[in-house]
Amino acid sequence: MSDDILKRLTETLEARKGAEPDSSYVAKLNAKGLDAILKKIGEEATETVMAAKDDRNEKIIYEVADLWFHTLVLLSYKGLTAQDVLDELSRREGVSGIEEKASRK
């Protein structure tokens, strides 16, 4: 079920990546470039933190959805997909976080 939405979003983001900026929000964001995408991710991350501090679950869900969406825009912009992230999470599954972090050095 969740894979389906990620696949559909990935397809939509790819389709809109090269579209005319006037045609969609994603096309406009892509046309503005990496800095604009990163700025949106920063804004959404901050709003997620604020929602968590307010302890309002519905607001947390809303803001995390925005954060995830804009992160998916970044992945698409860089030629990556949600599946790439899922593959990495799968690789890490069952590995201690301490061990995994140490393996990056």
Side-chain angles (χ1 to χ4, degrees):
M1 181 76 101
S2 61
D3 283 357
D4 292 342
I5 187 64
L6 288 175
K7 286 177 187 173
R8 288 194 309 272
L9 277 171
T10 296
E11 291 168 1
T12 300
L13 293 173
E14 282 303 308
R16 294 183 181 168
K17 189 160 62 169
E20 288 296 317
D22 302 15
S23 67
S24 78
Y25 172 73
V26 171
K28 184 184 294 186
L29 201 51
N30 274 282
K32 289 181 179 180
L34 182 61
D35 286 345
I37 295 168
L38 296 175
K39 181 179 177 187
K40 279 305 295 181
I41 291 172
E43 289 172 9
E44 299 304 341
T46 299
E47 290 171 5
T48 299
V49 169
M50 290 168 37
K53 295 288 279 178
D54 288 344
D55 200 26
R56 294 179 46 215
N57 288 346
E58 67 281 349
K59 186 71 171 162
I60 294 168
I61 292 167
Y62 182 87
E63 295 302 343
V64 169
D66 281 351
L67 178 58
W68 284 12
F69 177 80
H70 287 91
T71 301
L72 289 170
V73 172
L74 169 64
L75 290 172
S76 173
Y77 184 86
K78 298 299 271 179
L80 302 166
T81 67
Q83 189 60 52
D84 295 323
V85 177
L86 293 173
D87 291 346
E88 176 61 15
L89 289 171
S90 179
R91 184 191 70 77
R92 293 181 189 187
E93 187 176 17
V95 176
S96 157
I98 294 169
E99 289 175 27
E100 195 283 325
K101 191 167 185 177
S103 74
R104 292 189 230 165
K105 292 182 180 180

